Amino acid sequence: MESGNVTTPFGRRPMTFGMLASQTAARKIEPGQSIDKWKLYRALCEAKPLLGITDRALAILNALLSFYPKGELSEENGLVVFPSNAQLSLRAHGMAEQTIRRHLASLIEAGLLIRKDSPNGKRYARKEHGGDIREAFGFSLAPLLARADEIERLAAEVTAERLHLQRLRERLTLCRRDVAKLIEMALEEGIAGDWGRIHLHFRDVVERLPRSPSAAQITAALDELELLREEITNQLEMQEETQNQSGNAPHYERHIQNSNPHSITELEPGFETKQGATADDRSAGRAEPAARMQKGEGTNGHVQAARSASIGSSALKSFPLGLVLQACPEIAAYGPQGAIGSWRDLMAAAVVVRSMLGVSPSAYEQACEIMGPENAATVVACVLERAGHINSAGGYLRDLTRRAERGEFAIGPMLMALARTNVPVRGKTG
């Protein structure tokens, strides 16, 4: 500072102990100390959360630094700038003078500026005959130079914390993706396990995170999800080992037969070959019922259709009721007394929703025959969730029923997509 005396503010502004402490600290500048003003400003922008200053206060400080004639802050060049509020407003993109005064006060309170008021409160400089400034009244930048090391240290801490938080978010995002895709794969493949409970646990951990979680909150959630991922991986590996140990020729033969969704006759119990039958007999046995079905002769066509329906129903896997309700929350309002507590309640609600969506009774009955009552009710709940995107709910249900009869439709992917869509809106970590 230009003077070793204490400077008090002009007019009715009171002198505070914080102002006195800032002026005392500013007198401890080491001889010859200097720093690039814009490098220091970048450090201030990084350290602003720890310094308690806002973006707009930094904009005012940026304008003040632009009035400092040198690139290096040093006592030799003087540390007082004296622009008027009108000049500050021009360099602060037209900020109102009242706003400028408020943010100048916050910078002084944070100990980054010192007022050096003139006797009449104006900001100006007295110059010598040679043009050099002898004394200036305005704002002293001495606290910035005195606290330069502290500001850079705080900026480094903020940067390190931000990078640490970024890495935690990346790990959490990867772990969330792994768990979600492993659960979805297990449901699609029909792997044995309590996947409904695991999925609900997964969603509970994710939904507990606030919009802007701290590093501690992300770490706690990451620990839980990593344990859950390990549990899922162990369960899948044990299932794989069991399948490998129990694998045999009939198992692979069944797999090859099921890979052709149109070859329904090969799965019919009524067409199983008796012991000692020849290949020609087997071919004839398959061809004759198929021909009868095409011609509509007798009741064998109805028997064949009923058997095909039972096969389609067994091919679709039922999912936990909790998972269905989480993926399709809207159907709960149509249950008995406005709630669903069992599969019976869900099927009753599906009948109400079916009528509301304009699905004919025959279309719903056919879906129940092919998919099974629980799965048909689940599909109706899914259709209700996406009613705004479906032109004809009845036609859509009939199409899904035909695909299920051919073995080309699975409920798992539809449920998982809706479960992800219907997660409550919260902050996302990755």
Side-chain angles (χ1 to χ4, degrees), residues 244-262:
N244 289 339
Q245 292 173 0
S246 61
N248 48 37
H251 168 76
Y252 292 110
E253 183 179 355
R254 288 195 301 272
H255 175 73
I256 294 172
Q257 290 173 347
N258 291 339
S259 65
N260 184 0
H262 300 286

Side-chain angles (χ1 to χ4, degrees), residues 172-194:
L172 181 64
T173 299
L174 292 174
C175 194
R176 283 180 59 181
R177 185 180 70 192
D178 292 345
V179 172
K181 288 187 177 291
L182 287 174
I183 294 174
E184 185 174 358
M185 181 269 292
L187 289 172
E188 290 179 1
E189 297 292 335
I191 297 175
D194 192 359

